[in-house]
Amino acid sequence: MIDSVLVANRGEIACRIVRTCRELGIRTVAVHSDADAHALHTRVADAAVRLPGTAPADTYLRGDLIVRAALAAGADAVHPGYGFLSENAGFARAVLDAGLKWIGPPPEAIEAMASKTRAKKLMGLEPLATVTADDLPVLVKAAAGGGGRGMRVVRDLADLDAELAAARAEALGAFGDDEVFVEPYVEGGRHVEVQVLADTHGTVWTLGTRDCTLQRRHQKVIEEAPAPGLAPELTDSLCAMAVRAARAVDYVGAGTVEFLVADGRAQFLEMNTRLQVEHPVTEEVFGVDLVALQIRIAEGAALDHEPPRARGHAIEARLYAEDPARGWAPQTGTLHRLAVPGVRLDTGYADGDTIGVHYDPMLAKAVVHAPTRAEAVRRLAGALERAEIHGPVTNRDLLVRSLRHEDFTAARMDTGFYDRHLAGLTGPAPDPYAPLAAALADAHGRSRFGGWRNLPSQEQVKRYLVAGEEREVRYRHIREGLAADGVRVVHADADLVVLEVDGVRRKFAMARYGDQVYAGTTALTALPRFREPIADHAPGSLLAPMPGTVVRVAEGLAVGSSVRAGEPLFWLEAMKMEHKITAPAAGTLTALPVAPGQQVELGTLLAVVESDQP
């Protein structure tokens, strides 16, 4: 029996594993980088061990330090979670060699499947050895990859070499392995996967299908189980292939076999030899705890001969601290409030935690289960719409609109969904009365000491920034309290404002954190009474769109270089993703104040390009 588990991971998945261990009466040990010293996963575990440094290569990817931490803390087993070292056969062997239990598949199975190239050969498939114009588009993919890292779609043969180099560099930094391969990129397909679970006694379960088609940057955004609209024969075929893959490597534990489905046919993509981020939808449909089953299998327990029966439909949305309208730019800062009513919320954050620049920007996974898909979609969209999310910009509005989009509700989605619909899903839609509510809530505290006078009241003016636009509102102090033209103020205090507009009452729950104001679900920034001077930058200045690290500068780029409009100049890494910074216009580089390895803050000057145009 396992008595103590070290969780070799961080954030949401570490908290998820700790929760199950606590229910089973198992003690837990967390590991943390310096950036995660006060993270939630370190607070909920029974013990925590520091991994000095902040970069993944120095901390969560250091298997030797993690094994040492497990032994020092008295753990007798290691759970790798997902990402980092979860598909690293060498780490699994090191855990076992240290006399610890490994809550995962045998190292040999990881080795066979963790390399996407070897996995494809095992399933009778071969990557492209050479690429011609007739093969386009193609997908460059990291052999040891996952989570969208080290992946590039190439549509022009002239871009292939550059994208191969970029994928290798990203894969090396993320996984310590720069092997990449090229395969055909199927447009208009769906990403469907099968959950497998195998014990040491020869039983292999398949726990239905999941659809993970809605993705950005090859990372999943919305997932559901079962995959809607699949013919029963295709579902049976997918499950049979998944069992074949598991048995081919004598698999043990939880794993996922992924496919691309197009025109009623399935193409094997890979087998992930670990738990998946989206595992909760399978848990909800089958009524199981996959982490608990992983632990019991590691203890030698046998699965029942047949898996439990599926019931209903489950859907999960990943809530990210990012701005979809600005190239999915990750966001940082204090998460003041996170509350999503009526859902299962798997998260690695609590109110007041800081979202930093070092790791994935996912805040939480919101999961619902209902008798039908339509009911599950409606419940999740409604819960997200009412959620209190106070802090950096998130993709919440995108999720709500995606769930309500006619192509999604009709299950007509494919992997190009966001390529086609992003503009329509990200337009700002703030409540038009939110600025007035914010002004009235602020004025409530100021009106207690004689705000009203027995004279005509002068209008008070407040300015707010809402969805990038400045809004000005006016109100007055009157005998009854506060008033505004065209609106009846039913109630106004610092926590709640109720306005009546054309006979309809509108309620705004209020919150304020410095200059940041929340009126219902609308975020506003209170502007100062007098405008402050704006810092001047030379024309053609390139400013960092997010805090991060300059990981690469274009080869040969130097002051005096000629650049083309749209030409890549820098690559910033922030929250596990690389972001390409391009020249705003054709011209000459006249300033280059940054270098690879340099940390930059939001708004840092990266370069100046003097345009060729007069």
Side-chain angles (χ1 to χ4, degrees), residues 572-588:
L572 287 184
E573 185 177 84
M575 295 182 170
K576 282 181 59 181
M577 295 299 292
E578 282 193 1
H579 304 268
K580 185 163 46 179
I581 310 300
T582 60
T588 302

Side-chain angles (χ1 to χ4, degrees), residues 15-330:
C15 293
R16 162 74 187 87
I17 295 165
V18 168
R19 184 172 72 241
T20 287
C21 287
R22 182 171 293 167
E23 291 170 357
L24 297 176
I26 296 173
R27 183 173 169 271
T28 54
V29 180
V31 289
H32 67 86
S33 68
D34 290 337
D36 276 340
H38 304 291
L40 183 61
H41 74 275
T42 69
R43 307 199 302 265
V44 296
D46 296 302
V49 179
R50 176 185 176 230
L51 304 175
T54 56
D58 300 327
T59 55
Y60 298 109
L61 290 173
R62 285 286 301 273
D64 56 334
L65 297 183
I66 292 172
V67 170
R68 194 182 308 163
L71 296 172
D76 51 16
V78 172
H79 193 304
Y82 43 71
F84 295 130
L85 294 171
S86 62
E87 294 181 278
N88 186 301
F91 177 56
R93 285 195 180 96
V95 169
L96 294 168
D97 290 346
L100 302 166
K101 285 187 182 294
W102 169 249
I103 305 176
E108 296 75 18
I110 298 174
E111 214 156 41
M113 285 297 188
S115 168
K116 315 307 179 193
T117 51
R118 288 194 294 273
K120 285 181 177 294
K121 290 176 182 178
L122 192 65
M123 297 296 286
L125 305 170
E126 291 284 346
L128 292 173
T130 59
V131 179
T132 68
D134 293 336
D135 296 317
L136 299 173
V138 296
L139 182 67
V140 178
K141 197 170 184 180
R149 309 226 47 192
M151 293 178 69
R152 301 287 192 281
V153 176
V154 179
R155 302 182 186 279
D156 188 329
L157 204 57
D159 297 333
L160 181 61
D161 287 345
E163 296 293 10
L164 281 168
R168 287 192 185 102
E170 189 177 8
L172 183 62
F175 312 112
D177 184 342
D178 69 351
E179 182 188 355
V180 299
F181 65 95
V182 180
E183 65 182 7
Y185 181 65
V186 179
E187 310 255 26
R190 286 173 57 188
H191 189 119
V192 178
E193 58 192 33
V194 176
Q195 175 73 58
V196 298
L197 199 69
D199 63 19
T200 57
H201 306 275
T203 298
V204 179
W205 282 1
T206 57
L207 293 173
T209 58
R210 294 190 291 250
D211 190 295
C212 309
T213 296
L214 263 62
Q215 302 181 11
R216 78 345 174 218
R217 293 187 167 184
H218 309 293
Q219 284 192 322
K220 300 159 189 173
V221 178
I222 295 176
E223 303 110 337
E224 57 183 305
L230 296 186
E233 301 80 18
L234 179 56
T235 298
D236 291 344
S237 174
L238 294 174
C239 291
M241 281 191 281
V243 171
R244 174 184 153 204
R247 291 199 182 281
V249 293
D250 295 325
Y251 199 78
V252 174
T256 299
V257 184
E258 303 196 356
F259 303 90
L260 188 66
V261 173
D263 300 323
R265 293 175 297 175
Q267 173 186 323
F268 171 80
L269 291 177
E270 62 192 28
M271 181 176 186
N272 290 312
T273 54
R274 54 174 169 81
L275 204 62
Q276 293 279 92
V277 179
E278 57 273 19
H279 74 273
V281 292
T282 296
E283 292 184 321
E284 295 296 318
V285 168
F286 284 89
V288 297
D289 182 330
L290 288 173
V291 175
L293 288 170
Q294 284 184 297
I295 292 171
R296 289 178 180 130
I297 288 170
E299 292 177 328
L303 295 171
D304 292 339
H305 184 65
E306 295 292 336
R309 297 186 63 180
R311 54 181 184 84
H313 200 93
I315 188 163
E316 168 183 297
R318 301 191 193 184
L319 186 65
Y320 286 100
E322 66 183 12
D323 189 346
R326 292 178 51 237
W328 312 96

Side-chain angles (χ1 to χ4, degrees), residues 2 315 320 336-337 490 507 595 613:
I2 292 172
I315 188 163
Y320 286 100
H336 299 289
R337 175 80 171 140
V490 179
K507 295 181 180 179
Q613 299 298 318

Side-chain angles (χ1 to χ4, degrees), residues 563-567 582-587:
V563 298
R564 304 184 310 273
E567 178 182 346
T582 60

Side-chain angles (χ1 to χ4, degrees), residues 411-445:
R412 292 195 304 262
M413 60 279 189
D414 59 54
T415 53
F417 180 86
Y418 285 124
D419 293 335
R420 294 191 304 275
H421 301 304
L422 186 62
L425 295 169
T426 56
D431 191 300
Y433 293 97
L436 176 59
L440 297 176
D442 184 56
H444 168 73

